[in-house]
Amino acid sequence: MSIYVGNLSYDVTNDDLTSVFAEYGAVKRVQLPVDRETGRMRGFGFVEMSADSEESAAIDALDGAEWMGRDLKVNKAKPREDRGGSFGGDRRNGKNFSRNY
């Protein structure tokens, strides 16, 4: 199971998040996604812990807690949705137009 952590400060680091969650058990992994174009942190992250009981304790304790000037949103991460690979347009027959003229 993975934990979603939202409403994070843009200044947070992996070490910051690890130290907060380590109070509730062993942290296996922390992931802080960054924007591809700006390289800036996106304001959310994911934490994986060693045991489900540790993750539940962290969620119960930290959801709604204030940290680094923000109220955290902490819950079980949902599976990533498949957003598809199409960017629009008609790609049949190698054409990139919506109509044949």
Side-chain angles (χ1 to χ4, degrees):
M1 177 172 78
S2 187
I3 301 172
Y4 166 83
V5 186
N7 201 32
L8 289 171
S9 166
Y10 293 109
D11 297 326
V12 74
T13 66
N14 282 5
D15 290 341
D16 293 334
L17 208 51
T18 299
S19 66
V20 168
F21 278 82
E23 294 179 28
Y24 304 95
V27 176
K28 287 174 36 178
R29 184 171 78 116
V30 171
Q31 182 181 6
L32 294 171
V34 295
D35 184 272
R36 280 181 240 160
E37 294 179 17
T38 65
R40 183 176 166 192
M41 231 276 293
R42 295 179 65 193
F44 66 91
F46 299 94
V47 177
E48 290 181 26
M49 300 183 76
S50 295
D52 288 348
S53 60
E54 295 171 349
E55 289 181 346
S56 295
I59 291 168
D60 292 343
L62 297 173
D63 187 36
E66 184 180 335
W67 185 56
M68 295 180 80
R70 293 174 170 248
D71 294 334
L72 297 179
K73 177 69 177 160
V74 183
N75 54 41
K76 290 182 180 182
K78 297 176 183 166
R80 189 172 182 171
E81 294 179 6
D82 181 15
R83 296 189 288 172
S86 177
F87 292 95
D90 185 359
R91 310 237 176 195
R92 290 176 282 182
N93 299 325
K95 295 180 182 176
N96 201 13
F97 302 102
S98 59
R99 294 187 189 137
N100 291 328
Y101 294 99

